[in-house]
């Protein structure tokens, strides 16, 4: 038995290494969003504007660029490889933490993990293919939930780090608020505020350094490292001087985020890549209602539902945290496929519960929801996948899964009520 376990562990390690090798090769040959992050870091180091209005706008918190500042001196190629390694580490950390907290039934844990992983695989691959930061966010949030379950304030700092990269984890602050752990919520709020202001606080030193160097007006970057078909030319990006005013970066971020007039950029109901419930609702409502109204209504509905769940169930902390994190992924305002990596945790919880308390109705529902999430890619369904996506099939299936797990936790609360 011992040798069999060792063989399985060895096989898993080999498969992990092979998977990483494939991911790294794809990473080097694809033109995706790493350029945005690297360029933002370079612009910060040159004291230049970061949120430049261009085709691929850096729309995240300015502080997100600081995560990539340590990579910039390595050069574009080495930095891209290191980012791939860090993303893969976030993927491994996040999945292992989810498995350790959700897979409590050893008799069924293996099959539940395999099934959940299979149906979530398209979202995992999407993160790597698009070179997004979702695995870093995933790792921060899952690690934060791990420490939150142990009543550690470090959870709040980890959630803040994830929220700086992408705003989805900000919704998790409601968990400690609803559980009356106000100090944890305060730490998260303060650490997030400090991180948001950090670029402006560090900017003084950057200005002093750049004042002593020759003026640079642009940066030229490649789109890929391995150009197999010689189809990606170098791209020159301008360096625009940022005004030497107080909190210039913060003002710049708010201007591109909230300064638009008329319809918000995220209210494009015809964007099939956006699987946010906000966008999906606007699609079916034919934009007859303001996107802001839809977004705030969904925030209120999910908050009220989660508040009542937390009042009844205070023991399934990790699963509750998954629901809070997934809630904002569902709400939006923008949620593309990489954001849905959190569905792995909900899939694992649902399938683990099915194996422990089997019923044909549960099986039928889970197969339908899981297949809608995992087996509707363009590679499987060709152009039909885009028609489904326009109708929001991923967002709707994810909502069904969210409600399914919500109901399971609601029913479990009868044994947890104090």
């Amino acid at each position: 038995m011992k040798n069999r376990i060792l063989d399985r562990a060895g096989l898993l390690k080999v498969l992990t290494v092979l998977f990483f090798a494939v991911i790294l090769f794809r990473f080097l040959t694809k033109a995706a969003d790493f350029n945005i992050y690297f360029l933002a870091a370079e612009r910060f180091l040159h004291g230049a504007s970061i949120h430049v209005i261009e085709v691929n706008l850096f729309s995240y918190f300015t502080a997100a660029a600081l995560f990539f500042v340590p990579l910039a001196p390595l050069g574009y190629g080495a930095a891209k490889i290191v980012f791939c390694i860090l993303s893969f580490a976030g993927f491994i950390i996040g999945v292992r933490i989810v498995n350790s907290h959700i897979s409590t039934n050893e008799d069924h844990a293996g099959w539940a993990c395999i099934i959940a992983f299979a149906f979530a695989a398209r979202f995992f691959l999407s993160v790597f293919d698009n070179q997004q930061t979702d695995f870093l966010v995933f790792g921060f949030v899952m690690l934060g939930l791990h420490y939150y379950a142990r009543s550690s304030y470090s959870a709040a700092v980890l959630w803040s780090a994830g929220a700086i990269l992408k705003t989805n984890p900000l919704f998790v602050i409601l968990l400690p608020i609803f559980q009356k752990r106000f100090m944890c919520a305060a730490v998260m709020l303060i650490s997030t505020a400090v991180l948001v202001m950090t670029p402006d606080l560090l900017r003084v030193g950057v200005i002093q350094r750049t004042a002593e160097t020759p003026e640079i007006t642009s940066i030229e970057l490649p789109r890929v490292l391995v150009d197999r078909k010689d189809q990606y030319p170098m791209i020159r990006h301008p360096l625009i001087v940022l005004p030497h005013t107080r909190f210039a970066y913060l003002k710049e971020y708010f201007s591109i985020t909230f300064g638009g007039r008329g319809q918000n950029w995220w209210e494009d109901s015809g964007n099939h890549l956006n699987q946010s419930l906000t966008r999906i609702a606007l699609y079916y409502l034919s934009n007859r209602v303001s996107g802001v109204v839809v977004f705030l209504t969904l925030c209120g509905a999910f908050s009220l539902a989660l508040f009542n769940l937390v009042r009844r169930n205070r023991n399934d902390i990790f699963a509750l945290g998954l629901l809070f994190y997934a809630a904002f992924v569902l709400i939006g305002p923008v949620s593309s496929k990489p954001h849905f990596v959190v569905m792995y945790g909900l899939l694992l919880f649902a399938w683990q519960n099915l194996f422990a308390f089997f019923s044909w109705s549960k099986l039928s529902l889970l197969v339908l929801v899981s297949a809608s999430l995992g087996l509707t890619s363009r590679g499987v369904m060709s152009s039909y996948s885009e028609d489904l996506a326009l109708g929001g099939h991923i967002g709707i299936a994810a909502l069904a899964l969210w409600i399914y797990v919500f109901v399971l936790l609601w029913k479990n609360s009868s044994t947890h009520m104090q």
Side-chain angles (χ1 to χ4, degrees):
M1 181 67 178
K2 184 176 180 180
N3 290 334
R4 287 179 62 188
I5 294 175
L6 288 175
D7 290 343
R8 289 177 183 174
L11 178 61
L12 182 61
K13 291 178 181 177
V14 171
L15 291 175
T16 301
V17 171
L18 290 175
F19 181 57
F20 175 72
V22 172
I23 290 299
L24 180 59
F25 179 75
R26 291 169 65 91
F27 215 81
L28 300 181
T29 58
K30 282 184 173 290
D33 287 347
F34 174 73
N35 296 58
I36 304 174
Y37 308 124
F38 186 84
L39 179 60
E42 284 283 5
R43 281 172 166 163
F44 176 79
L45 289 174
H46 286 88
S49 175
I50 289 178
H51 304 282
V52 178
I53 304 300
E54 52 194 354
V55 175
N56 224 346
L57 170 69
F58 187 82
S59 58
Y60 313 100
F61 280 123
T62 310
L66 299 184
F67 284 82
F68 298 87
V69 166
L71 302 184
L74 301 176
Y76 181 83
K80 190 166 189 174
I81 294 173
V82 172
F83 176 59
C84 182
I85 294 172
L86 292 174
S87 295
F88 198 79
F91 160 69
I92 296 296
I93 291 170
V95 168
R96 292 197 65 175
I97 290 176
V98 170
N99 291 349
S100 65
H101 281 271
I102 301 298
S103 299
T104 55
N105 191 326
E106 295 182 1
D107 295 334
H108 311 297
W111 282 110
C113 288
I114 291 171
I115 293 172
F117 193 94
F119 287 121
R122 68 180 298 201
F123 305 121
F124 294 155
L125 291 173
S126 183
V127 178
F128 289 119
D129 284 347
N130 291 283
Q131 298 170 22
Q132 283 280 352
T133 58
D134 290 272
F135 276 138
L136 297 180
V137 178
F138 184 58
F140 279 131
V141 176
M142 295 305 106
L143 198 57
L145 286 175
H146 173 74
Y147 284 111
Y148 182 77
R150 298 185 175 190
S151 300
S152 171
Y153 289 134
S154 58
V157 179
L158 289 163
W159 291 339
S160 296
I164 290 301
L165 288 169
K166 287 195 175 175
T167 55
N168 296 330
L170 280 178
F171 208 72
V172 182
I173 196 173
L174 295 179
L175 176 59
I177 290 175
F178 290 167
Q179 291 192 325
K180 298 182 180 180
R181 293 169 62 172
F182 298 118
M183 185 59 70
C184 182
V187 171
M188 181 179 177
L189 186 63
I190 293 170
S191 58
T192 302
V194 170
L195 286 172
V196 167
M197 292 186 292
T198 297
D200 285 298
L201 298 176
L202 295 178
R203 185 166 170 258
V204 176
V206 173
I207 292 173
Q208 291 175 348
R209 182 183 67 81
T210 54
E212 302 170 358
T213 60
E215 185 178 358
I216 301 176
T217 59
S218 64
I219 296 175
E220 192 174 56
L221 294 176
R223 294 191 65 191
V224 298
L225 282 181
V226 180
D227 194 348
R228 292 181 292 172
K229 298 182 179 179
D230 194 27
Q231 59 183 342
Y232 296 113
M234 299 283 285
I235 298 179
R236 188 169 294 278
H237 303 273
L239 290 180
I240 300 174
V241 177
L242 189 71
H244 292 177
T245 57
R246 183 175 297 179
F247 296 114
Y249 276 128
L250 190 61
K251 292 176 182 176
E252 184 182 63
Y253 171 75
F254 279 115
S255 69
I256 64 102
T257 305
F258 304 107
R261 296 180 180 179
Q263 188 182 57
N264 289 297
W265 59 270
W266 48 266
E267 293 184 77
D268 178 11
S269 60
N271 181 8
H272 70 278
L273 297 177
N274 183 5
Q275 290 295 302
S276 159
L277 293 181
T278 300
R279 196 282 301 173
I280 296 168
L282 290 172
Y283 172 76
Y284 287 107
L285 293 170
S286 301
N287 289 91
R288 289 192 297 267
V289 181
S290 166
V292 175
V293 172
V294 174
F295 171 68
L296 293 178
T297 300
L298 287 171
C299 284
F302 275 87
S303 299
L304 182 61
L306 288 167
F307 174 74
N308 284 288
L309 178 61
V310 168
R311 289 182 62 190
R312 290 173 59 92
N313 189 332
R314 294 181 177 273
N315 286 16
D316 295 316
I317 294 177
F318 193 87
L320 286 171
L322 285 175
L323 283 182
F324 276 85
Y325 177 30
F328 202 79
V329 171
L330 286 170
I331 296 167
V334 174
S335 293
S336 55
K337 282 189 292 184
H339 295 65
F340 285 85
V341 292
V342 65
M343 293 302 146
Y344 171 74
L346 299 186
L347 283 167
L348 181 59
F349 186 91
W351 281 96
Q352 181 79 6
N353 176 269
L354 174 68
F355 285 128
F357 307 99
F358 181 83
S359 77
W360 288 106
S361 58
K362 281 185 177 181
L363 176 62
S364 301
L365 179 59
L366 274 185
V367 168
L368 177 61
V369 170
S370 300
S372 297
L373 287 170
L375 302 180
T376 53
S377 65
R378 186 176 179 84
V380 176
M381 302 190 68
S382 188
S383 60
Y384 292 108
S385 65
E386 293 185 6
D387 296 332
L388 286 172
L390 186 60
H393 75 288
I394 293 177
I396 294 171
L399 173 62
L401 178 62
W402 191 92
I403 294 173
Y404 184 90
V405 174
F406 181 94
V407 172
L408 290 179
L409 291 176
W410 187 275
K411 290 182 177 180
N412 290 345
S413 65
S414 61
T415 59
H416 296 157
M417 292 182 66
Q418 298 176 355

